[in-house]
Amino acid sequence: MVLLLLLLGIVPAHGAPDCNPPDCPVVVDALDGPVHESVGNYAAVVKLRNGAAKQDVQVSYKFVDGTAKQGEDYRAQSGAVVIKAGQDHAAIPYTVLRIGKEQKQFTLHLTEVKPGQIGKRVAVFTIAGRS
């Protein structure tokens, strides 16, 4: 039923109510990362769903191991980042440490948004495997 409503445009794809700024709620989404094919420094992105922030928005997060392991395959700190007033996103740094034979994944979990709410809570990051 929800799929039908999505297709008809009755329910927005992100699940947030239709609104016109400045009446929109502050909703932050975690964006999935690309497939990493080389070691190096990268940034995860958290983005406001309804445009630029009217005030600073603090987003707390943590990185969670999947098949990729902290300290072996990637390095990242859990903590908080601020989306500054007038901006619509913030970057969270992490490092890919190695590319192995198998494809591996880890995730970023949003844990709190002040002021506001969490939209898409989990972002997936993939480290490519070598063939």
Side-chain angles (χ1 to χ4, degrees):
M1 182 67 170
V2 172
L3 180 58
L4 177 60
L5 294 175
L6 280 170
L7 292 173
L8 294 173
I10 296 170
V11 175
H14 286 290
D18 286 326
C19 62
N20 295 313
D23 299 324
C24 299
V26 174
V27 179
V28 178
D29 294 315
L31 303 182
D32 292 331
V35 175
H36 300 298
E37 297 183 352
S38 61
V39 299
N41 296 320
Y42 298 95
V45 176
V46 291
K47 185 170 176 59
L48 290 170
R49 185 175 291 174
N50 296 314
K54 302 269 186 257
Q55 63 185 9
D56 288 356
V57 177
Q58 181 175 315
V59 181
S60 299
Y61 60 88
K62 66 180 178 177
F63 285 89
V64 177
D65 287 355
T67 51
K69 303 301 179 201
Q70 173 79 264
E72 295 176 23
D73 302 303
Y74 74 100
R75 180 176 50 241
Q77 300 278 327
S78 295
V81 66
V82 174
I83 301 173
K84 299 281 187 188
Q87 298 182 351
D88 68 351
H89 70 280
I92 301 168
Y94 65 93
T95 304
V96 173
L97 299 174
R98 72 176 179 161
I99 307 293
K101 291 182 180 182
E102 303 291 323
Q103 187 177 77
K104 295 185 176 186
Q105 293 184 329
F106 62 99
T107 55
L108 170 73
H109 292 242
L110 302 187
T111 58
E112 186 175 25
V113 173
K114 291 182 192 174
Q117 61 192 43
I118 297 170
K120 183 176 180 290
R121 180 175 300 276
V122 177
V124 178
F125 298 89
T126 303
I127 302 171
R130 292 190 187 134
S131 304

